Amino acid sequence: MNRLLSGVCAGALMLAFGAGTALAGDLPGKFEGVTVDVKLIGGQQYEKLYERIPEWEKATGAKVNILTKKNGFDIDKELKSDIASGSTNWCVGWNHSSFAPQYTGLYTDLSKLLPKEEIDAFVPSTIKAATIDGKLEMLPRAQFDVSALYYQKSLYENADNKTKFKAKYGYDLVPPDTWKEVTDQAEFFANPPNFYGTQFAGKEEAINGRFYEMVVAEGGEYLDKDGKPVFNSEAGIRALDWFVNLYKAKAVPAGTTNYLWDDLGQGFASGTVAINLDWPGWAGFFNDPKSSKVAGNVGVKVAPKGSSGKRTGWSGFHGFSVTENCPNKEAAASLVWWLTNEDSQKLEAAAGPLPTRTAVWDWDLKQAENDPYKKEVLSAFQEEAKHAFAVPQTPEWIEISNAVYPELQAAILGDKTSKQALDEAAAKATQILQDAGKL
């Protein structure tokens, strides 16, 4: 988190276009008659920001045409289809640090389109991660993602729960600090089909990412130092067994293998889940009585430790990019700047997501001083950020995820043992990397 809170504050806003050529006029600029075609991520925690687009249109004279608004996994498939078919003459697209290595031919270098002073206003570590092969391929939005543990406070304050739990498990009922404690508590609180101990996203990169961070917490590796898949290890089996055993115990919803992020958010907000590992973007939603039945009853703490003593901490961040084939890169870069500038980041951060601009971190901490819940949220995520780690930095990560997650599902559903599933998943991942010339 020290890295997240370090950086340089924004300076003068002069728009620079082309290879070092500065044009007159401050951001956001004037682009009368220009239409910018965009492809965005959709979903509850992302939508509020897009309400600022009409302000940019009014300020610049340009128009924004939203071609696509989908979840990250579906838009990833669409971007790959566009690349394969050569249909990349739209302008602004979603990007993410975990997905970005796949798109190096799709997106252009934003450092040639925006002033250095604005780029320097971002947390340096995020700009470093957004720079691939020397190209700044995206500007990070206020969506730095690492997961902390949300829980219903009243369950831990209930005297009857405390007595019964202590009698059954031999230790006091307090918010969990290890994944073993999460297992015990999830099984204890579960009362299917009306109430569940916990939940997890069970498909796409979502389950593979959760599995990856559990492998790390169990003391294992996903890829070794030579880039070879080694997650079919004892640590990998322990990690996968965590999902398998909770499903078998009916401590998670039966449909969890089909869940993605919005399903988890809505599930915890419905009041039917005790413990929920989730992203910072849901913090405001969970504590808003208009959207959540657990509002006023939400606790937040750092993610638990695995058996190795390491905490889970799979992390990344969302951003916006400009395509190489965009017919008006200057207008597109202006829109990307607008959606990631201080006002935009304050708008997103106010609802819980973590900012990626240094000055907005300072602002966010100031806002929390008289808001106990916001203070608890920021404290938990500041602590969790110390344990954050990215996915393996290979362009094949998503392709590997797409091959691995059906095997993880097969084990969770009881169709294969954890060892069988992981051996087959590792073989598939190895073949992908061999085909790419990486092994």
Side-chain angles (χ1 to χ4, degrees):
M1 181 52 62
N2 288 336
R3 288 182 298 163
L4 288 175
L5 294 177
S6 66
V8 183
C9 292
L13 301 181
M14 293 297 291
L15 190 57
F17 297 122
T21 302
L23 297 185
D26 294 340
L27 285 166
K30 290 292 183 181
F31 307 101
E32 294 290 343
V34 171
T35 297
V36 179
D37 292 330
V38 304
K39 296 197 172 188
L40 305 174
I41 189 171
Q44 183 276 329
Q45 69 187 87
Y46 308 111
E47 298 291 340
K48 186 70 176 176
L49 175 63
Y50 306 146
E51 294 178 9
R52 293 207 71 217
I53 290 176
E55 298 176 50
W56 180 83
E57 292 176 321
K58 183 177 180 180
T60 63
K63 295 294 181 185
V64 174
N65 179 32
I66 299 176
L67 300 174
T68 292
K69 195 189 286 183
K70 298 177 178 178
N71 71 55
F73 306 110
D74 287 340
I75 198 170
D76 170 62
K77 295 179 178 69
E78 182 171 326
L79 298 187
K80 289 173 181 171
S81 176
D82 287 350
I83 293 168
S85 65
S87 306
T88 59
N89 60 346
W90 44 274
C91 282
V92 172
W94 166 82
N95 209 341
H96 189 281
S97 56
S98 295
F99 291 70
Q102 307 172 105
Y103 307 142
T104 53
L106 174 63
Y107 291 133
T108 197
D109 187 353
L110 288 169
S111 69
K112 296 179 179 179
L113 294 168
L114 292 167
K116 182 178 183 297
E117 291 86 352
E118 273 300 294
I119 295 168
D120 285 346
F122 288 84
V123 173
S125 60
T126 61
I127 292 299
K128 181 178 179 181
T131 302
I132 301 171
D133 296 331
K135 290 167 56 181
L136 178 60
E137 296 202 2
M138 66 172 150
L139 279 192
R141 64 189 286 184
Q143 290 282 351
F144 177 81
D145 278 342
V146 65
S147 294
L149 206 66
Y150 297 90
Y151 59 92
Q152 292 196 40
K153 288 183 175 180
S154 59
L155 296 173
Y156 293 88
E157 296 165 354
N158 182 282
D160 191 44
N161 283 347
K162 291 180 179 181
T163 300
K164 290 179 179 178
F165 185 87
K166 181 71 174 285
K168 184 172 183 178
Y169 295 98
Y171 65 93
D172 290 335
L173 178 62
V174 295
D177 197 52
T178 70
W179 284 107
K180 173 63 169 63
E181 292 170 358
V182 172
T183 300
D184 292 344
Q185 295 177 17
E187 292 178 356
F188 175 77
F189 289 131
N191 183 28
N194 300 314
F195 196 84
Y196 295 94
T198 190
Q199 56 183 350
F200 51 82
K203 64 179 183 177
E204 305 281 359
E205 190 227 12
I207 182 62
N208 189 46
R210 288 289 185 232
F211 167 70
Y212 159 62
E213 66 179 340
M214 290 293 283
V215 171
V216 172
E218 289 300 313
E221 294 180 293
Y222 196 95
L223 303 181
D224 68 13
K225 60 182 177 58
D226 298 318
K228 180 182 177 182
V230 291
F231 53 76
N232 56 330
S233 59
E234 290 301 318
I237 291 170
R238 289 196 301 272
L240 181 51
D241 280 348
W242 182 83
F243 300 92
V244 171
N245 292 337
L246 283 173
Y247 189 85
K248 189 182 297 184
K250 298 183 179 180
V252 298
T256 199
T257 50
N258 288 314
Y259 284 8
L260 288 174
W261 306 126
D262 275 10
D263 303 297
L264 300 186
Q266 296 292 344
F268 185 72
S270 74
T272 61
V273 176
I275 308 165
N276 183 46
L277 184 72
D278 220 326
W279 309 108
W282 289 101
F285 186 84
F286 290 154
N287 208 44
D288 184 348
K290 295 178 182 177
S291 56
S292 174
K293 293 182 179 179
V294 294
N297 186 33
V298 182
V300 194
K301 67 171 304 221
V302 65
K305 303 172 185 175
S307 64
S308 73
K310 295 179 182 178
R311 297 188 187 277
T312 50
W314 169 37
S315 69
F317 56 87
H318 293 263
F320 299 99
S321 300
V322 174
T323 63
E324 288 282 11
N325 292 334
C326 173
N328 197 319
K329 290 185 177 69
E330 293 83 4
S334 170
L335 177 61
V336 166
W337 167 80
W338 181 269
L339 294 173
T340 60
N341 69 13
E342 283 198 24
D343 288 340
S344 289
Q345 294 225 350
K346 287 177 180 177
L347 176 69
E348 292 207 274
L354 305 182
T356 54
R357 279 177 172 261
T358 304
V360 183
W361 261 108
D362 296 337
W363 172 87
D364 209 15
L365 292 167
K366 186 72 174 175
Q367 301 307 300
E369 288 180 352
N370 298 312
D371 184 339
Y373 175 71
K374 179 79 170 180
K375 197 170 183 178
E376 182 178 353
V377 168
L378 286 178
S379 177
F381 281 103
Q382 279 185 295
E383 178 62 26
E384 181 57 30
K386 297 175 184 176
H387 308 281
F389 49 86
V391 301
Q393 292 301 293
T394 174
E396 287 72 39
W397 167 251
I398 299 300
E399 187 178 358
I400 289 171
S401 290
N402 291 339
V404 168
Y405 88 77
E407 299 297 334
L408 303 179
Q409 287 180 323
I412 293 166
L413 295 172
D415 298 330
K416 297 179 182 179
T417 67
S418 292
K419 178 170 174 49
Q420 288 172 335
L422 292 180
D423 283 345
E424 292 181 36
K428 291 179 179 179
T430 299
Q431 187 63 56
I432 289 168
L433 290 166
Q434 286 175 341
D435 291 346
K438 301 297 177 65
L439 293 176

